[in-house]
Amino acid sequence: MVDTYDTVRSGVPNAIKVANEMGDKINFLGVRIDSGDMAYISKQVRKELDDAGYPNAKIFASNDLDENTITNLKMQGAKIDVWGIGTKFITAYDQPALGAVYKLVAMEDEMHAMRDTLKISSNAIKVSTPSKKQVWRISANTAKKNEGDWVSRYDEDPRKFDALFMFHPQYTYINKVVTDYTAIPLLHDIFKEGKLVYKQPSLDEIKKFCAENLDGLWDEYKRSLNPQEYPVDLSQNLYESRMNLIQDIRRKIRERSIGR
């Protein structure tokens, strides 16, 4: 750590002095900076190390780094070789709380049949989607990249289709037809009739699943600045059920209002 007092005029010169005096008795790998204007300082440190005959010495950087800070430092030409990410890696720094809401999507009627339910809101994004569902990850066989996720009723199976119509649930004019694809179901039963039916994958299996799914994303979805929205589409059947239920609920509300 070379920034305790003055990185350029004290820290690095003393690190070089120790490396020169100790020689092969130590393994001088580089220096670490943890404060100040890292773009400017790293360039000065790089020059000092190179001039002293240590072009292979690495410059390590830390101090609450995240993907945005690192991107900006790289854009400024910072001479940093290793990024030390701690605080913002081990804590949910930008999302300290996970907001989640459970919404009823179906209920059993007097005949023991499941009846779709739905929440209506003036905010379109808050209108729920009825029915028990399955989520399918649709991957193009040629490009080996994901076309998006397809949300359907639990008894729909896109693996039986020759072509799949995918469209944005709010902006339906954004759509496409996908052929030659692989569909993988993402939702699995954990408990069924009170019994555990799910086998917990090993850590290696989880890591492999994560790596494969990251590799399946186009770069446009993974960029840190203004990423493209990953498509999560509804099946035609599920979309029509949703719209029909909305109209049915609105009709009943109007009838009750007139009846008063």
Side-chain angles (χ1 to χ4, degrees), residues 8-254:
V8 175
R9 291 184 290 183
S10 173
V12 176
N14 280 312
I16 292 172
K17 182 179 179 181
V18 171
N20 289 337
E21 292 180 357
M22 300 300 291
D24 294 338
K25 294 180 181 179
I26 64 171
N27 185 17
F28 180 55
L29 297 177
V31 297
R32 173 185 168 193
I33 53 178
D34 189 60
S35 62
D37 186 337
M38 290 192 182
Y40 170 77
I41 290 175
S42 65
K43 295 173 187 177
Q44 300 303 309
V45 171
R46 182 74 271 159
K47 185 177 185 306
E48 288 189 59
L49 292 172
D50 291 349
D51 290 347
Y54 295 101
N56 295 323
K58 304 298 183 183
I59 298 177
F60 297 71
S62 56
N63 189 23
D64 291 340
L65 298 177
D66 60 18
E67 67 274 20
N68 297 317
T69 305
I70 292 172
T71 299
N72 285 327
L73 285 170
K74 287 186 173 182
M75 290 173 64
Q76 297 172 62
K79 301 298 183 180
I80 296 171
D81 302 294
V82 182
W83 306 93
I85 305 174
T87 302
K88 294 187 179 180
F89 181 73
I90 63 174
T91 61
Y93 203 86
D94 60 348
Q95 189 71 41
L98 176 63
V101 180
Y102 283 95
K103 294 182 180 178
L104 192 68
V105 297
M107 63 170 56
E108 191 176 37
D109 62 17
E110 297 82 358
M111 304 301 293
H112 305 292
M114 297 304 295
R115 178 170 57 85
D116 290 348
T117 62
L118 173 138
K119 173 193 173 182
I120 286 185
S121 171
S122 56
N123 187 342
I125 198 68
K126 290 188 175 182
V127 177
S128 62
T129 302
S131 181
K132 180 181 177 181
K133 308 172 193 68
Q134 178 58 272
V135 181
W136 300 85
R137 182 141 297 160
I138 309 301
S139 175
N141 291 331
T142 302
K144 304 297 182 184
K145 297 291 183 181
N146 295 344
E147 294 286 353
D149 289 352
W150 191 72
V151 184
S152 70
R153 287 181 173 273
Y154 73 96
D155 54 356
E156 291 185 87
D157 191 342
R159 294 171 296 189
K160 297 179 180 179
F161 307 153
D162 294 326
L164 191 65
F165 181 56
M166 302 181 68
F167 60 92
H168 193 289
Q170 265 78 48
Y171 310 106
T172 54
Y173 61 87
I174 302 176
N175 57 65
K176 59 187 174 183
V177 175
V178 181
T179 59
D180 189 25
Y181 60 86
T182 297
I184 301 175
L186 300 183
L187 302 184
H188 304 279
D189 290 331
I190 306 299
F191 285 90
K192 197 169 184 178
E193 298 180 355
K195 295 182 179 180
L196 179 64
V197 296
Y198 181 76
K199 180 182 177 183
Q200 179 72 20
S202 67
L203 182 58
D204 286 339
E205 290 172 329
I206 293 173
K207 289 167 61 178
K208 181 181 178 183
F209 178 83
C210 178
E212 289 176 347
N213 278 271
L214 281 173
D215 187 57
L217 294 175
W218 294 97
D219 291 339
E220 290 80 357
Y221 301 128
K222 295 187 284 186
R223 64 190 178 214
S224 58
L225 182 61
N226 193 28
Q228 182 73 16
E229 179 182 345
Y230 181 79
V232 179
D233 301 336
L234 300 183
S235 73
Q236 185 78 31
N237 190 343
L238 186 57
Y239 176 80
E240 290 176 355
S241 296
R242 185 190 195 201
M243 299 307 296
N244 289 338
L245 190 55
I246 289 173
Q247 295 302 321
D248 186 52
I249 292 173
R250 286 178 173 171
R251 177 183 57 78
K252 290 179 179 179
I253 292 174
R254 286 196 301 269

